[in-house]
Amino acid sequence: MSGSGRSQGPTLSFTKMHGLGNDFMVVDAISQPFRLRPEMIRKLADRHFGVGFDQLLVVEPPGLPDVDFRYRIFNADGSEVEQCGNGARCFARFVRDQRLTNRRVIRVQTAAGVIELRVGREGWVTVNMGVPELNPAAIPFAAESRQLVYPVEVNGQTLELSAVSMGNPHGVLLVDDVDTAPVETQGAVLERHPRFPSRANIGFLQVIDRGRARLRVFERGAGETLACGTGACAAVVVGQLRGLLDNRVRITVPGGDLVIEWQGEGAPVMMEGPTARVFDGQIRLPGDHRRRGRRQSGRHTPADR
Ligand SMILES: N[C@H](CCC[C@H](N)C(=O)O)C(=O)O
């Protein structure tokens, strides 16, 4: 990371973790100063020249009463986002492993609101992901009114897309076979579709039976990942609303299985899944990592504020 001859910045300690292959660089910003610009996050996310991750998770002191921590999430493209389901599980394991808490039930403030995490055995964590949002204006998704399915034009095709927010925006398409679904092509177009003003995570859902489904997700700001926790929650909500799934569903993503439970409108979505620590590391940042670089034209991200 530190090029030869450039001023040397501070060393940043981190832990590399993953939830079913959705991988994270986790930084304790309680015991060390942290403030990175989007272009530095993108460099750290690079799988050849940096640490390599889908998302950067930053652990901070709580900013609200009766909350244990605050946790910020940055995609590989440097954008700061509202929620990350697999990340929430890894966050919970991290703060306990690092002895930042000895609680098994942890309340954490995210940009999408406060969520509650329950640490189980062998690294399994259950997360109350909150109540899904289906009002298009709140997702946000451009539509006159709330529909179960929205016709969306992509490359001359009319797709039947459902839209839901788990704190972050999701589009969900039903497919016959996730293995042959056009994830890279359709996912990339829909991620940036004009009807998703904040962009979106795009899930391709194959229903196996009322209790099992397969899913691939083209994530906003990261591309296809091996797992997407909020995407699995969004997919179960859509599958239930479309009358195809029961309340408790085993969702198989390329990286493994998640268990998602939703009791219907107004209820929170519960997600249960594993976590893994890969290694602890330190990386020396270039001296100018904090200097204001050329502002990225176009995409505005909260991290720029
Ligand atoms: N790419 C997502 C954030 C990470 C979500 C995903 N990794 C999860 O486990 O929920 C977004 O831009 O909203």
Side-chain angles (χ1 to χ4, degrees):
M1 177 57 72
S2 50
S4 57
R6 294 181 62 177
S7 63
Q8 294 285 300
T11 298
L12 185 65
S13 297
F14 66 90
T15 297
K16 190 77 189 334
M17 301 184 78
H18 73 81
L20 298 178
N22 180 198
D23 65 336
F24 310 108
M25 176 180 181
V26 190
V27 171
D28 166 2
I30 298 173
S31 60
Q32 60 184 338
F34 173 85
R35 187 178 170 287
L36 290 181
R37 300 199 51 70
E39 58 272 24
M40 180 48 68
I41 293 172
R42 283 192 288 275
K43 286 177 182 169
L44 289 170
D46 189 288
R47 295 189 183 281
H48 299 284
F49 299 103
V51 174
F53 53 76
D54 293 328
Q55 280 86 30
L56 166 66
L57 310 181
V58 182
V59 179
E60 297 187 341
L64 295 171
D66 87 346
V67 158
D68 301 300
F69 298 95
R70 179 182 178 204
Y71 130 79
R72 296 174 69 186
I73 303 139
F74 299 84
N75 280 324
D77 70 357
S79 57
E80 183 168 7
V81 291
E82 309 88 344
Q83 194 53 273
C84 178
N86 290 317
R89 300 199 313 277
C90 288
F91 159 87
R93 171 155 178 194
F94 176 78
V95 293
R96 281 178 53 87
D97 288 357
Q98 302 300 105
R99 306 253 185 285
L100 294 172
T101 182
N102 59 7
R103 291 184 171 181
R104 281 200 172 277
V105 178
I106 301 165
R107 286 173 54 78
V108 61
Q109 173 192 351
T110 70
V114 176
I115 57 174
E116 188 169 276
L117 318 169
R118 187 177 297 271
V119 181
R121 305 234 168 282
E122 285 93 45
W124 275 66
V125 180
T126 300
V127 186
N128 176 332
M129 294 298 295
V131 177
E133 175 59 69
L134 291 148
N135 167 4
I139 292 174
F141 179 72
E144 292 297 311
S145 61
R146 172 181 160 179
Q147 306 293 330
L148 184 52
V149 176
Y150 302 95
V152 174
E153 296 299 316
V154 171
N155 302 334
Q157 258 187 296
T158 302
L159 302 178
E160 296 193 341
L161 183 93
S162 295
V164 56
S165 171
M166 290 306 305
N168 57 347
H170 290 265
V172 180
L173 295 163
L174 287 186
V175 294
D176 295 333
D177 179 355
V178 289
D179 293 330
T180 59
V183 176
E184 275 311 310
T185 50
Q186 265 178 23
V189 173
L190 285 168
E191 184 219 1
R192 298 174 173 280
H193 196 281
R195 294 187 68 177
F196 283 114
S198 301
R199 299 187 291 153
N201 304 280
I202 307 302
F204 295 79
L205 173 65
Q206 174 189 351
V207 174
I208 308 295
D209 59 36
R210 298 192 60 84
R212 286 182 310 148
R214 297 181 66 203
L215 177 72
R216 290 173 64 188
V217 180
F218 188 97
E219 284 199 30
R220 177 178 60 170
E224 183 175 7
T225 57
L226 292 177
C228 179
T230 51
C233 296
V236 168
V237 167
V238 168
Q240 281 193 34
L241 292 176
R242 292 175 75 159
L244 304 170
L245 293 174
D246 286 339
N247 293 135
R248 185 178 172 84
V249 182
R250 179 171 294 278
I251 290 267
T252 299
V253 293
D257 288 358
L258 286 168
V259 177
I260 308 293
E261 205 158 331
W262 186 50
Q263 302 304 330
E265 298 250 12
V269 183
M270 305 302 291
M271 170 189 64
E272 187 181 359
T275 62
R277 279 180 82 108
V278 184
F279 65 88
D280 294 329
Q282 289 197 326
I283 189 162
R284 182 176 288 282
L285 299 173
D288 59 354
H289 77 288
R290 287 173 185 258
R291 256 204 308 271
R292 183 168 292 282
R294 184 172 51 77
R295 286 184 72 78
Q296 295 297 319
S297 59
R299 188 179 315 139
H300 171 76
T301 60
D304 280 332
R305 286 195 197 117

